[in-house]
Amino acid sequence: MNKQLFAKILIIGFFTIVFKGNILAQSQYPFQDPNLQVEKRIDNLLSILTLEDKVNCLGTNPTVDRIGLKGTGHVEGLHGLAMGLPGSWGRKTPVPTTTFPQSIGMAETWDPELLQQAAAIESFETRYLFQSEKYRKGGLVVRAPNADLGRDPRWGRTEECYGEDAYFNGTLAVAYIKGLQGLKSKYRSTVALMKHFLANSNENGRDSSSSNFDERLFREYYSVPFRMGVEQGGANAYMASYNKVNGVPQTVSPILQNVTMDEWGLDGIICTDGGAYKMLVTAHKYYSNYADAAAACIKAGINQFLDTYKPGILEALDKKLITEADLDKVLRGVFRVMIKLGQLDPPQLNPYSSIGTGPEPWLSQQNHDFVRLITQKSIVLLKNNGLLPLDKSKIKSIAVVGPRSAEVYQDWYSGTPPYTVSPLEGIKNKLGSGVAISNTTNADLAVTMAKSAETVIVCVGNNPTGNLGWKKVDGPSEGREAVDRENISLEPSQEDLIKRIYAVNKNVVLVLVSSFPYTINWAQENVPAIIHITHSSQEEGNAIADALFGDINPGGKLVQTWPDSLSQLPPMMDYNIRHGKTYMYFKGKPLYPFGFGLSYTTFKYANLKVAYDPKSADTDIAVSVEITNTGERSGDEVVQLYVKHLNSKVERPNKELRDFKRITLKPNEKKTVTLAFKQDDLCYWDSKLKRFVLEKEKIELQIGSSSADIKAEQTIEIK
């Protein structure tokens, strides 16, 4: 052997021994040894912890200083890390963080890669605040994404979800989870804790209500985003919801163990929602005392309590309703998560341990540019008769009016952004000093301004109530956590403002800044142009101005069905969506269908081709189509693939989304887009056999620009 090579091997071996020796020297207990198998580390840890330690570790921060066990707590992070003033998540010392559009807004990009990038930025900032010497704030378990389904637009927390389609929600949840957790195989940057399992889409009475539906809907709809989050996203944690499902409170449901752990393989944290443990006694009245309730939670698989839980746990132990071994069983999941986060290992082994030095990331231009991009991509063009885009080289005067024109509103789960750009400020930034720009939120003055302006931008929409206090809303059309909407029309004064403005100036652009669908029927019939954007993005105003003046071409799509009236909706508490909820079972013609969104250009679909081998059980079904930009502007199109079952033995949806892709095309550019899904995605749940079944049947493959705008279709037979 070459002497120099031999010398190098000796040196490398020496330093490897020294490095491992240093790690072992730092390890007082076997559980601190990163070379030991995970379960053996946990065995050792549980053998060292006292019963008091174990009870303490059932909170949200399993730290035991006595033995050097460094746990980490929870933070909120639905659309950026929440360490600011709304919701008081920053407590007494709020810190600004990069703030993206609300979850429903990010969903309207129809771009999983963008959501993964947003989550990665959030994850970095979470680590930064947790580890930097300057801050030392927060935790590494991030309560996001919200994988609940927006099955009804009256749901007060619609803003937190990704819409009404299970596959779509699951796809975006997987992307957000991957962004939060990072791409390293051994360690997690942060751990995503999905909310709220399961079927938690009513706020009124949520502490005692029951979401009732059959097993098929459980398997095919309500549980799908959570299952995808675990199996495809690698999620290690979720929060059980307040409500009952078919009469059993989720906090003590056997589904937690039987499905999420035994079937899906979740092996981490299952926590209660805030106060849910006590609600088992006070609201659900499912148990008569807290000891019984605490024992039931532990036996169901709960291992973290967002509640004052210790007296109940101690009493349950004293009465032998549960044993120390029961605590050991559930705590294993908590410690697996701590190990994945690197909390039990020497920092030099964790690739994320160096985050926390350097300038604050929320001040970086890179983050600001990304927020502007994802906000641009979230904008949905609902109507345009040619008024948009406005020509900034020709416009001389513009009025920017309405209650949402001069402020960026944050919701309860928002952080405090480092800066905000309102619609008014964005338009001023775009036009400069050479254009007369007037603004008011006063209705009477707005009408006066509209008379003399060339064009009027009317900004209306909900108040997401981050600044109103708990459970407070502005009116019956408003919603938030703990409050469902009673109405889905615009607040009357806002509706009246639009009509009064239009009466004096026909060049009106309606900018609907909202967390929810609205029945804007009059505006759709009369106003020349309408765009939709959600709240909270720090770049809201710049993105709006970019769209209004054609610097970007809106390409977002709706992720919920927008009814034309409340009468089109079944009762709020009807969880059987087959009775007319979501695009899959909707009856009648909506105001705007699921997947809808216009563009400043036009697209042609041609040459639909299907690749499918009916003889192979494992083959994917692939559909390709040529998309051509036939207009004069570059633009984005979201190509959507739906499946319709033509002769199923069981009731199936009108159609189901099975794949989608957002593409950008220059004028006259053509691209072939291929969308695909697995045959297993066609299965239905057989409640008798207790498994998914693939039928021999005919299905119709539909390619389109929305669920209601199908451009091409082809029927195939599943053998």
Side-chain angles (χ1 to χ4, degrees):
M1 180 183 292
N2 183 288
K3 291 182 178 180
Q4 290 181 330
L5 177 61
F6 181 70
K8 287 182 179 179
I9 291 172
L10 285 177
I11 292 170
I12 291 170
F14 171 77
F15 281 109
T16 300
I17 293 170
V18 171
F19 180 65
K20 288 187 175 181
N22 286 339
I23 291 174
L24 291 173
Q26 296 171 25
S27 302
Q28 183 181 358
Y29 302 102
F31 80 81
Q32 295 168 316
D33 181 1
N35 299 309
L36 201 62
Q37 289 182 351
V38 168
E39 297 307 313
K40 289 184 178 180
R41 296 177 73 180
I42 297 173
D43 288 341
N44 173 252
L45 179 55
L46 291 170
S47 72
I48 296 169
L49 293 174
T50 66
L51 182 59
E52 181 183 4
D53 291 333
K54 293 173 183 178
V55 173
N56 289 337
C57 285
L58 291 170
T60 56
N61 190 342
T63 294
V64 182
D65 292 326
R66 175 177 56 81
I67 61 170
L69 173 60
K70 299 176 183 178
T72 170
H74 295 195
V75 290
E76 298 290 349
L78 289 177
H79 52 102
L81 175 61
M83 276 288 164
L85 295 173
S88 297
W89 304 116
R91 303 298 186 256
K92 295 181 180 179
T93 54
V95 179
T97 51
T98 301
T99 305
F100 307 104
Q102 293 173 302
S103 299
I104 197 82
M106 289 195 290
E108 288 180 346
T109 67
W110 286 65
D111 193 329
E113 291 183 7
L114 284 179
L115 270 76
Q116 185 166 335
Q117 291 177 55
I121 290 172
E122 178 182 331
S123 180
F124 187 93
E125 293 188 0
T126 303
R127 272 274 178 185
Y128 185 96
L129 279 175
F130 186 73
Q131 296 178 166
S132 69
E133 292 293 338
K134 180 179 178 180
Y135 294 104
R136 295 290 183 186
K137 280 181 68 71
L140 298 178
V141 177
V142 183
R143 294 174 189 162
N146 189 332
D148 290 316
L149 287 155
R151 64 176 180 99
D152 193 304
R154 290 166 291 193
W155 180 33
R157 298 179 80 170
T158 293
E159 65 199 24
E160 298 182 25
C161 78
Y162 297 137
E164 69 186 25
D165 182 82
Y167 163 76
F168 180 83
N169 275 36
T171 301
L172 297 193
V174 167
Y176 213 79
I177 290 163
K178 288 182 176 179
L180 284 175
Q181 299 196 155
L183 302 177
K184 308 295 183 184
S185 59
K186 183 175 181 180
Y187 293 100
R188 299 276 191 257
S189 173
T190 61
V191 160
L193 186 144
M194 295 184 290
K195 303 195 295 187
H196 311 81
F197 185 80
L198 177 78
N200 176 196
S201 54
N202 66 277
E203 296 304 297
N204 297 347
R206 64 181 181 167
D207 59 358
S208 58
S209 64
S210 183
S211 306
N212 299 326
F213 46 87
D214 61 29
E215 190 177 11
R216 274 192 61 214
L217 283 176
F218 167 73
R219 294 287 184 170
E220 297 173 14
Y221 185 67
Y222 288 108
S223 69
V224 169
F226 293 93
R227 175 177 54 79
M228 292 175 67
V230 174
E231 294 182 346
Q232 298 178 30
N236 298 116
Y238 69 82
M239 178 184 290
S241 56
Y242 287 122
N243 55 290
K244 299 184 186 78
V245 170
N246 296 328
V248 180
Q250 275 300 98
T251 311
V252 295
S253 173
I255 294 173
L256 308 188
Q257 176 71 54
N258 297 342
V259 177
T260 70
M261 288 188 271
D262 294 348
E263 291 186 25
W264 302 348
L266 185 127
D267 62 355
I269 291 171
I270 305 177
C271 72
T272 69
D273 206 335
Y277 152 63
K278 286 192 172 181
M279 289 175 186
L280 293 169
V281 176
T282 60
H284 287 292
K285 302 189 186 305
Y286 206 72
Y287 300 99
S288 61
N289 61 79
Y290 292 121
D292 286 344
C297 289
I298 294 296
K299 290 181 177 179
I302 296 293
N303 53 22
Q304 288 195 336
F305 289 82
L306 278 65
D307 212 332
T308 306
Y309 67 92
K310 291 180 185 178
I313 291 288
L314 292 172
E315 185 179 352
L317 286 165
D318 186 58
K319 291 182 175 179
K320 295 183 169 42
L321 301 175
I322 51 175
T323 65
E324 186 172 356
D326 292 323
L327 301 191
D328 289 351
K329 179 181 178 182
V330 296
L331 282 173
R332 299 189 79 90
V334 174
F335 297 134
R336 289 186 195 110
V337 168
M338 295 303 114
I339 290 172
K340 286 180 184 295
L341 287 167
Q343 288 299 101
L344 275 60
D345 291 358
Q348 59 265 38
L349 295 180
N350 184 350
Y352 301 108
S353 63
S354 61
I355 297 173
T357 60
E360 286 89 344
W362 50 86
L363 299 179
S364 74
Q365 189 60 47
Q366 182 178 0
N367 282 13
H368 301 172
D369 291 343
F370 178 79
V371 178
R372 188 165 182 166
L373 173 66
I374 196 171
T375 311
Q376 290 169 341
K377 297 283 189 179
S378 75
I379 294 174
V380 183
L381 181 63
L382 296 177
K383 182 183 179 182
N384 186 29
N385 70 355
L387 179 60
L388 293 179
L390 302 172
D391 190 338
K392 61 185 176 184
S393 68
K394 294 180 180 179
I395 199 162
K396 295 293 186 286
S397 64
I398 189 168
V400 184
V401 302
R404 303 295 171 255
S405 62
E407 184 178 351
V408 176
Y409 285 72
Q410 301 302 325
D411 61 45
W412 190 252
Y413 287 96
S414 288
T416 295
Y419 66 90
T420 58
V421 182
S422 70
L424 173 64
E425 291 168 328
I427 291 169
K428 285 183 174 179
N429 293 341
K430 184 69 65 180
L431 296 179
S433 58
V435 178
I437 303 173
S438 56
N439 169 255
T440 184
T441 57
N442 178 278
D444 293 333
L445 187 53
V447 175
T448 301
M449 289 179 177
K451 291 178 181 178
S452 57
E454 291 178 3
T455 303
V456 188
I457 311 298
V458 185
C459 301
V460 299
N462 71 300
N463 179 346
T465 66
N467 59 343
L468 288 180
W470 178 247
K471 210 172 180 179
K472 293 182 180 179
V473 294
D474 282 340
S477 292
E478 302 281 14
R480 56 158 302 156
E481 182 173 0
V483 184
D484 286 320
R485 305 168 72 198
E486 298 174 20
N487 205 327
I488 58 173
S489 60
L490 273 176
E491 192 269 328
S493 67
Q494 295 189 35
E495 185 84 20
D496 184 62
L497 174 65
I498 300 168
K499 294 177 179 178
R500 291 177 65 192
I501 294 290
Y502 185 74
V504 300
N505 189 330
K506 297 298 187 283
N507 290 330
V508 175
V509 179
L510 179 64
V511 177
L512 180 60
V513 189
S514 75
S515 314
F516 311 103
Y518 277 94
T519 52
I520 50 171
N521 299 352
W522 189 92
Q524 174 61 27
E525 293 174 6
N526 295 279
V527 174
I530 307 171
I531 67 171
H532 175 253
I533 188 171
T534 62
H535 290 285
S536 300
S537 167
Q538 62 195 48
E539 285 283 342
E540 177 187 304
N542 283 334
I544 288 172
D546 291 337
L548 293 178
F549 294 95
D551 290 327
I552 62 110
N553 188 345
K557 302 279 187 175
L558 298 179
V559 294
Q560 282 185 295
T561 302
W562 287 37
D564 71 7
S565 69
L566 201 58
S567 64
Q568 287 188 316
L569 295 174
M572 177 67 179
M573 286 305 297
D574 187 351
Y575 271 79
N576 185 345
I577 62 169
R578 300 190 195 99
H579 292 162
K581 290 189 177 180
T582 79
Y583 77 96
M584 294 187 291
Y585 297 100
F586 196 81
K587 299 172 182 177
K589 184 179 179 182
L591 179 63
Y592 304 116
F594 174 84
F596 175 79
L598 303 175
S599 173
Y600 295 153
T601 189
T602 53
F603 300 97
K604 178 185 176 183
Y605 287 61
N607 296 327
L608 175 70
K609 295 180 181 178
V610 177
Y612 164 60
D613 181 2
K615 297 179 181 179
S616 173
D618 298 325
T619 188
D620 288 353
I621 299 173
V623 181
S624 64
V625 64
E626 289 180 356
I627 313 293
T628 305
N629 183 343
T630 54
E632 298 177 354
R633 289 178 175 269
S634 293
D636 288 7
E637 174 67 323
V638 179
V639 186
Q640 302 165 41
L641 171 62
Y642 294 89
V643 168
K644 181 180 178 66
H645 297 267
L646 299 180
N647 56 349
S648 178
K649 298 174 183 177
V650 296
E651 183 180 5
R652 296 290 192 107
N654 301 324
K655 62 185 64 180
E656 296 176 89
L657 183 71
R658 278 290 163 253
D659 200 7
F660 59 92
K661 188 173 184 180
R662 181 167 180 158
I663 60 171
T664 302
L665 294 174
K666 298 174 183 177
N668 299 315
E669 185 181 5
K670 178 192 299 183
K671 282 184 180 178
T672 297
V673 176
T674 299
L675 303 176
F677 60 93
K678 298 183 180 300
Q679 281 195 77
D680 284 350
D681 295 331
L682 298 171
C683 292
Y684 74 90
W685 180 262
D686 189 310
S687 297
K688 292 182 179 179
L689 297 176
K690 301 297 181 185
R691 63 179 175 86
F692 281 102
V693 173
L694 181 66
E695 291 185 281
K696 179 181 179 181
E697 61 165 340
K698 290 183 178 180
I699 62 168
E700 185 175 271
L701 302 169
Q702 304 178 349
I703 287 279
S705 185
S706 82
S707 60
D709 186 10
I710 302 303
K711 307 291 188 180
E713 55 197 35
Q714 185 170 325
T715 299
I716 63 171
E717 189 166 352
I718 303 299
K719 302 272 188 174

